[in-house]
Amino acid sequence: MEIYESKNHNGLWGDSLKADSSQNTCLSTIVEADDRKKNRSKDAPRDTVGTARFYDQEANKSSDKVLRRLAQNREAARKSRLRKKAYVQQLESSRIKLAQVEQELETTKQQGLYVGRHMGDSSPFGTINPGVAAFEMEYGHWVEEQNRQICELRAVLQTHVSEIELRMLVESGMNHYYDLFRIKAIAAKSDVFYLMSGLWRTASERFFLWIGGFRPSELLKVLTPQFDPLTEQQVVAVCNLQQSSQQAEDALSQGLDKLQQTLAEILTREPLGSSGTENYMENYMGQMANAMGQLDALIGFVNQADHLRQQTMQQMYKILTTRQVARGLLALGDYFQRLRALSLLWEARPCEPA
């Protein structure tokens, strides 16, 4: 009996222990679940904060890029405004100087003063031509601007510059030569002999002068090596352009020779030294009027020659790439600079005693 009770007693204790252990197990499971929830709740804000920080950093980077780009644009615009202001000031200064020269020339003309070379009897050989004086001033500014453009082209060709910026510089250089042809046309109306004589150029430049400027075909021979490498199609196009330029030059030269022959015939139509004949003065004045009419054609020759030069440059612009044209403009500018330097060396050479 006692044994049975003890067994029952032990069974009750065992069941009690099992119940307690099962309860403990459930409690531990609940506690672990609660801990996991707490951990997830703690980790969740960290993930959210990290993501927010990442997007903030990306946004800051984008805003920094925008700010840098805006700052660069502002700086470029500021430099552009400064260049434009300097250019406008230079133009205004040139305009003022030109107005002063014109005023001085007009005053000199009114006072009857003469300059230049004089004959042995001190009679005036010539007077100041306002158109020529204005041209010389403009041409001086043209040479200064050309030297500046040459330096800029040389610097740009040594760096990696965008195609757009290079094209802008090339077009500016081309337009600069077109502007020279424009002011020459104005000067030709004032004194075509002065323009054709090349007195506005240096001595070595005058040595290569042809109707008031350079021969397009000759310059093509000089500049073509600077364009290498050329494609086969470009080589053919350049050769054709050189031939057509040569033909146009020959036609103009023949026309000029014909004009010289016509003038000589007009001036020698009446026997020389026959001043005692009847109606001599009337015939003489008729000859001079006819000759003056023929000389007006010289202006047309100068304009046609410059038109040929401009056409040749435009055709080269179409044949070549932008970088090739830039190298050509640089070589052309260097060529004229060296001719001017050669003239200075020639003038400064020591002269041997007679």
Side-chain angles (χ1 to χ4, degrees), residues 4 36 39 43 62 102 113 188 192 216 257 296 307 310 328 347:
Y4 175 75
R36 283 197 296 272
N39 290 334
D43 293 339
S62 299
E102 290 177 347
L113 301 178
V192 67
D257 292 340
D296 286 339
H307 181 66
Q310 183 169 339
E347 293 173 359

Side-chain angles (χ1 to χ4, degrees), residues 150-161 166 323 330:
I150 291 172
C151 293
E152 190 173 7
L153 267 177
R154 182 177 288 108
V156 166
L157 286 174
Q158 293 175 354
T159 60
H160 297 287
V161 68
L166 186 60
R323 186 164 288 273
L330 177 60

Side-chain angles (χ1 to χ4, degrees), residues 218-354:
E218 292 298 325
L219 279 185
L220 285 176
K221 293 178 184 179
V222 174
L223 298 180
T224 297
Q226 306 298 326
F227 302 141
D228 287 335
L230 290 171
T231 64
E232 184 177 352
Q233 184 178 2
Q234 287 178 323
V235 171
V236 173
V238 171
C239 290
N240 291 337
L241 179 61
Q242 186 174 343
Q243 291 178 0
S244 62
S245 297
Q246 181 68 59
Q247 292 173 358
E249 292 167 14
D250 292 341
L252 283 174
S253 296
Q254 291 173 7
L256 193 59
D257 292 340
K258 181 64 176 178
L259 177 61
Q260 290 176 342
Q261 182 181 354
T262 302
L263 279 172
E265 291 175 355
I266 291 173
L267 295 176
T268 58
R269 188 164 296 167
E270 293 293 329
L272 298 177
S274 57
S275 58
T277 60
E278 189 177 354
N279 298 327
Y280 168 76
M281 184 54 80
E282 182 179 351
N283 293 335
Y284 177 83
M285 295 305 295
Q287 283 180 322
M288 293 299 104
N290 193 2
M292 287 293 293
Q294 293 293 328
L295 286 178
D296 286 339
L298 286 177
I299 299 176
F301 278 100
V302 171
N303 293 336
Q304 290 180 59
D306 278 342
H307 181 66
L308 176 60
R309 287 182 266 267
Q310 183 169 339
Q311 275 190 326
T312 304
M313 295 183 69
Q314 290 173 345
Q315 289 299 318
M316 290 300 298
Y317 184 76
K318 294 178 181 179
I319 295 171
L320 303 175
T321 64
T322 304
R323 186 164 288 273
Q324 286 173 327
V325 176
R327 294 206 306 267
L329 288 174
L330 177 60
L332 184 60
D334 279 339
Y335 177 70
F336 288 130
Q337 277 186 339
R338 292 175 185 181
L339 283 177
R340 290 191 286 267
L342 181 61
S343 295
L344 293 176
L345 292 174
W346 175 257
E347 293 173 359
R349 75 191 188 285
C351 297
E352 297 181 0

Side-chain angles (χ1 to χ4, degrees), residues 23-37:
Q23 290 176 359
N24 291 334
T25 302
C26 293
L27 289 174
S28 63
T29 302
I30 294 170
V31 169
E32 290 177 358
D34 291 340
D35 290 340
R36 283 197 296 272
K37 289 181 180 179

Side-chain angles (χ1 to χ4, degrees), residues 5 31 57-58 67 77 81 123 130 177 230 247 280 292 353:
E5 289 178 354
V31 169
Q57 291 175 355
E58 291 297 320
L67 291 175
R81 288 193 299 270
S123 62
Y177 280 97
L230 290 171
Q247 292 173 358
Y280 168 76
M292 287 293 293

